[in-house]
Amino acid sequence: MGNPYYECPLPVTIPPAKPFLESIKLGIKETLFPDDPFRQFKNQPASRKFILGMQYFVPILEWAPRYTFEFFKADLIAGITIASLAVPQGISYASLASLPPIIGLYSSFVPPLVYAMLGSSRDLAVGTVAVASLLISSMLGKEVNPNENAKLYVQLALTATFFAGVFQAALGLLRLGFIVDFLSHATIVGFMGGAATVVCLQQLKGILGLVRFTHGTDLVSVLRSVFSQTHQWRWESGVLGCCFLFFLVLTRYVSKRKPCFFWINAMAPMMSVIVGSVLVYLTNAEKYGVQVIGHLKKGLNPLSVSELAFGSPYMVAAIKTGIITGVVALAEGVAVGRSFAMFKNYHIDGNKEMIAFGMMNIAGSCASCYLTTGPFSRTAVNFNAGCKTAGSNIVMATAVMVTLLFLTPLFHYTPIVVLSSIIIAAMLGLIDYEAAIGLWKVDKCDFIVCVSAYIGVVFGSVEIGLVIAVTISLLRMLLSVARPRTFLLGNIPNSMIFRSRDQYPIANNIPGVLILQIDAPVYFANANYLRERISRWIYEEDEKLKSTGGSSLQYVILDLSAVGSTDTSGISMFKEVKKNIDRRGLKLVLANPRSEVIKKLVKSKFIESIGQEWIYLTVGEAVAACNFMLHASKSNNQVADEFDAHNNA
């Protein structure tokens, strides 16, 4: 035919075998160290390696020597700004977790200091978050009533925080951060939206001034509790709550429309606390049913090592709560850190972040703090305020320290309804309906995962919603592994390019040749499916050619360019496919087998059975060879027919 692809085919190279230990070492490196964190230590003296190692695990040692006065001014402004948000949010989220409000302030002092030393993000602002607070209240509240046994409940919350920190740090040290990736984007959108909805509904207790309220987090329980106590609704509290909620939502709207006014949204919660406290004090609203925080103890965090309930009968519940809240906090914190790192074009190491989160929660649990991470709202304020380094967390912690030492009595008259309004305003931003609409447009399956998580949280519980979402995501992943796609390839006109006929309808069939592409690694989980699907492709193509009177099928080409690896079940599948093709009188041809695949096919003697001459580097070369053989066979048949005709004459 004069086709250069067939006349000079490039041989498929079989890579040399590597020693077993070297293969294991390479596999571990690719799995656990994809970013190659040790490359900076190569060819360095021992003293330099020690310095680099310290800077790797304690990033403040890297940026502190280069710290300038300009950086300090920027971090000072950002730190004071986020402190004004951290104080009211800390008090509010502690109440959401059914913990004393002072613990929320404690949690904005020690953890930020630890993160400033160990964290790699320049923008992340550390603090408590609503979803983790809700999880703690929901999971531990089932075991111990926070109103009846407040001391034990606080001990369990601190113990759960300790185990969350241990779990987070272990994931980072063992380079197992990919486990958090099982919480897909769709799962997080639905879960966060559902949790935000539940949190908003639970704040009706504070808005309406109710004293008794359900411990359930599902929609039905909350609404039943609200409407069964209509005679106890306090109109004073409701009016005050609606006014502050309107103010907070308005400031958020203004800040979104005019980003230069970000400080308005940042200062709004503190302004609400100040105005609300003054109003309650001047009008004696406390006597008319408006609940207030009450006394807050002055002083810095007391040590709480002795309060960790390691010998408690509720130890299992504390560990379970710690692991679940730790994973959720990691997913949120790492995602937020990476998002803002992209804006400033720098990289953060997810595993280092996990170690930092873990260490700050371990330290926090020993200093009367509960679970903290990097909340989006606080980080966004920190970013917009112009922070330069993690030093803004140190400034925030210093401002909180001053508050703890001197200003806590001023929060005595802070109305609970203001805290409820602050929480609702913050939660409205987590109900990301635009992201859900985007999921529907792009990927219906992801949308189902998102909605399932939302419905599970709202109508079941936070744990049920999380389990449903993760289960559906894992099932989808397993389905994609167990049922990989196979494509029928055709030739793009006037080229030697072969692409899927579904994607390129103009691609032409090659007479007598069936070209199939397997779009995934071949493992035990999908080997049987692929064998059956390939047999069906062959059967359907054969029937189609017979019905149209076209050239009979002679060759089956398997494009293995997307098959990165296989196992013994996959090799057995290839052997069975070859036997099936041989029974039909056809010939199997392989195109572009990858290194791991060709090595195993050689060792299993499959290449020997198929013939090295039927392995090609590209689909184009394989098609050229098949066409040449078809043409040669046709020419031989014509010569034979002419010879028979001559003899008969």
Side-chain angles (χ1 to χ4, degrees):
M1 291 179 65
N3 192 318
Y5 284 92
Y6 175 66
E7 290 179 0
C8 302
L10 297 172
V12 175
T13 302
I14 301 173
K18 293 181 180 178
F20 177 72
L21 291 179
E22 185 179 342
S23 299
I24 293 293
K25 180 180 177 182
L26 181 62
I28 293 175
K29 181 180 178 181
E30 290 298 319
T31 302
L32 302 181
F33 304 97
D35 55 341
D36 191 15
F38 303 114
R39 63 183 181 276
Q40 59 181 329
F41 297 97
K42 293 177 181 177
N43 304 320
Q44 297 288 346
S47 58
R48 181 60 180 165
K49 286 182 179 179
F50 175 77
I51 294 173
L52 290 174
M54 292 297 295
Q55 290 178 345
Y56 180 82
F57 288 105
V58 188
I60 193 173
L61 298 178
E62 180 183 359
W63 57 262
R66 296 181 281 106
Y67 201 69
T68 64
F69 184 69
E70 293 298 321
F71 283 6
F72 173 73
K73 288 193 296 184
D75 287 342
L76 179 65
I77 295 172
I80 293 174
T81 305
I82 57 177
S84 67
L85 182 63
V87 171
Q89 277 191 349
I91 296 173
S92 303
Y93 292 158
S95 301
L96 180 61
S98 302
L99 293 168
I102 192 66
I103 291 183
L105 288 180
Y106 291 158
S107 302
S108 294
F109 174 46
V110 173
L113 292 175
V114 177
Y115 182 83
M117 292 186 290
L118 302 179
S120 58
S121 173
R122 305 171 195 167
D123 304 286
L124 202 70
V126 171
T128 54
V129 288
V131 175
S133 301
L134 177 65
L135 275 169
I136 290 173
S137 176
S138 171
M139 298 181 71
L140 294 182
K142 294 177 181 177
E143 306 293 333
V144 177
N145 190 315
N147 298 319
E148 297 175 359
N149 200 341
K151 182 178 180 181
L152 178 58
Y153 181 84
V154 171
Q155 289 175 341
L156 290 178
L158 297 177
T159 307
T161 300
F162 175 82
F163 283 110
V166 170
F167 183 70
Q168 291 171 333
L171 286 182
L173 289 170
L174 298 176
R175 310 287 293 184
L176 298 177
F178 61 86
I179 292 177
V180 180
D181 294 336
F182 285 109
L183 290 177
S184 65
H185 173 67
T187 300
I188 293 174
V189 169
F191 175 74
M192 290 294 187
T197 302
V198 169
V199 169
C200 289
L201 290 172
Q202 287 201 328
Q203 298 317 300
L204 292 175
K205 174 188 177 183
I207 295 290
L208 299 175
L210 300 176
V211 178
R212 289 180 288 105
F213 205 70
T214 179
H215 292 293
T217 59
D218 61 286
L219 178 66
V220 176
S221 298
V222 172
L223 292 181
R224 184 188 293 120
S225 183
V226 169
F227 289 102
S228 64
Q229 304 182 72
T230 52
H231 58 287
Q232 295 185 11
W233 290 6
R234 309 292 303 192
W235 68 267
E236 302 94 339
S237 194
V239 170
L240 198 61
C242 290
C243 291
F244 280 111
L245 181 59
F246 174 77
F247 169 70
L248 291 166
V249 172
L250 180 63
T251 56
R252 177 185 292 272
Y253 175 77
V254 171
S255 297
K256 279 190 174 182
R257 292 293 300 270
K258 301 287 186 181
C260 58
F261 293 127
F262 71 90
W263 55 271
I264 296 178
N265 184 42
M267 297 292 184
M270 182 59 78
M271 292 167 61
S272 299
V273 167
I274 294 172
V275 172
S277 300
V278 171
L279 282 176
V280 169
Y281 179 76
L282 293 178
T283 61
N284 292 319
E286 190 177 357
K287 297 180 180 179
Y288 298 96
V290 177
Q291 302 174 40
V292 298
I293 290 178
H295 174 69
L296 288 181
K297 185 173 63 173
K298 289 174 65 174
L300 299 180
N301 306 31
L303 291 178
S304 56
V305 179
S306 60
E307 298 296 317
L308 299 179
F310 293 130
S312 170
Y314 304 104
M315 180 76 163
V316 174
I319 294 174
K320 177 184 173 184
T321 303
I323 291 175
I324 292 177
T325 55
V327 170
V328 172
L330 271 185
E332 181 177 0
V334 174
V336 169
R338 284 175 174 165
S339 299
F340 285 93
M342 286 192 299
F343 292 132
K344 292 186 177 179
N345 196 29
Y346 69 92
H347 172 74
I348 66 171
D349 186 335
N351 288 292
K352 285 169 64 177
E353 287 294 282
M354 292 176 188
I355 296 173
F357 288 152
M359 296 308 296
M360 77 181 185
N361 280 314
I362 292 173
S365 67
C366 298
S368 302
C369 306
Y370 81 104
L371 190 75
T372 53
T373 184
F376 178 83
S377 58
R378 201 176 298 185
T379 303
V381 171
N382 194 34
F383 176 85
N384 290 325
C387 68
K388 297 297 183 183
T389 68
S392 58
N393 280 288
I394 298 176
V395 175
M396 177 186 71
T398 304
V400 173
M401 179 186 70
V402 172
T403 302
L404 287 169
L405 289 174
F406 306 109
L407 305 180
T408 48
L410 300 179
F411 293 98
H412 177 93
Y413 292 100
T414 300
I416 299 295
V417 66
V418 170
L419 302 183
S420 297
S421 301
I422 291 172
I423 292 175
I424 292 175
M427 291 301 97
L428 292 177
L430 291 180
I431 304 176
D432 196 350
Y433 63 90
E434 293 180 351
I437 294 172
L439 291 174
W440 170 258
K441 292 179 179 179
V442 176
D443 191 325
K444 302 295 190 294
C445 189
D446 266 354
F447 177 78
I448 292 173
V449 172
C450 175
V451 172
S452 300
Y454 183 86
I455 293 175
V457 172
V458 172
F459 291 96
S461 67
V462 178
E463 307 98 280
I464 290 174
L466 190 60
V467 169
I468 289 175
V470 172
T471 301
I472 294 177
S473 296
L474 289 176
L475 286 176
R476 184 189 180 188
M477 182 190 71
L478 291 174
L479 189 63
S480 67
V481 172
R483 295 294 183 267
R485 299 288 300 275
T486 55
F487 300 100
L488 178 64
L489 303 186
N491 176 235
I492 303 295
N494 302 317
S495 75
M496 287 300 294
I497 299 173
F498 293 82
R499 292 292 183 268
S500 169
R501 296 192 63 200
D502 286 338
Q503 185 177 359
Y504 297 92
I506 62 171
N508 299 320
N509 273 338
I510 306 299
V513 181
L514 175 65
I515 312 170
L516 299 176
Q517 183 182 60
I518 302 174
D519 196 36
V522 181
Y523 288 118
F524 64 92
N526 58 28
N528 287 331
Y529 168 78
L530 286 172
R531 184 188 66 249
E532 294 171 0
R533 190 66 187 92
I534 292 171
S535 298
R536 179 180 156 195
W537 275 116
I538 296 171
Y539 170 79
E540 290 177 347
E541 185 70 13
D542 211 10
E543 290 295 312
K544 178 182 175 182
L545 291 174
K546 288 178 181 178
S547 64
T548 57
S551 302
S552 61
L553 187 62
Q554 298 292 327
Y555 295 94
V556 177
I557 300 176
L558 292 184
D559 179 10
L560 304 182
S561 57
V563 182
S565 57
T566 187
D567 61 4
T568 52
S569 298
I571 294 171
S572 297
M573 184 277 291
F574 285 118
K575 291 180 178 179
E576 291 174 17
V577 167
K578 181 182 181 301
K579 290 179 181 178
N580 182 32
I581 290 175
D582 289 343
R583 281 196 299 267
R584 291 175 174 271
L586 309 178
K587 186 64 182 177
L588 176 64
V589 184
L590 301 183
N592 193 23
R594 308 292 289 273
S595 61
E596 290 300 316
V597 176
I598 192 68
K599 282 194 294 187
K600 292 182 179 180
L601 293 179
V602 169
K603 290 178 180 179
S604 64
K605 297 186 178 180
F606 179 76
I607 299 300
E608 183 180 323
S609 66
I610 196 176
Q612 180 72 41
E613 67 275 12
W614 294 107
I615 314 294
Y616 293 92
L617 189 61
T618 67
V619 174
E621 290 181 358
V623 170
C626 294
N627 280 336
F628 178 82
M629 296 302 293
L630 287 171
H631 180 74
S633 176
K634 185 176 181 180
S635 299
N636 290 337
N637 290 336
Q638 289 178 350
V639 171
D641 291 341
E642 291 175 1
F643 181 75
D644 290 340
H646 177 73
N647 287 338
N648 292 333

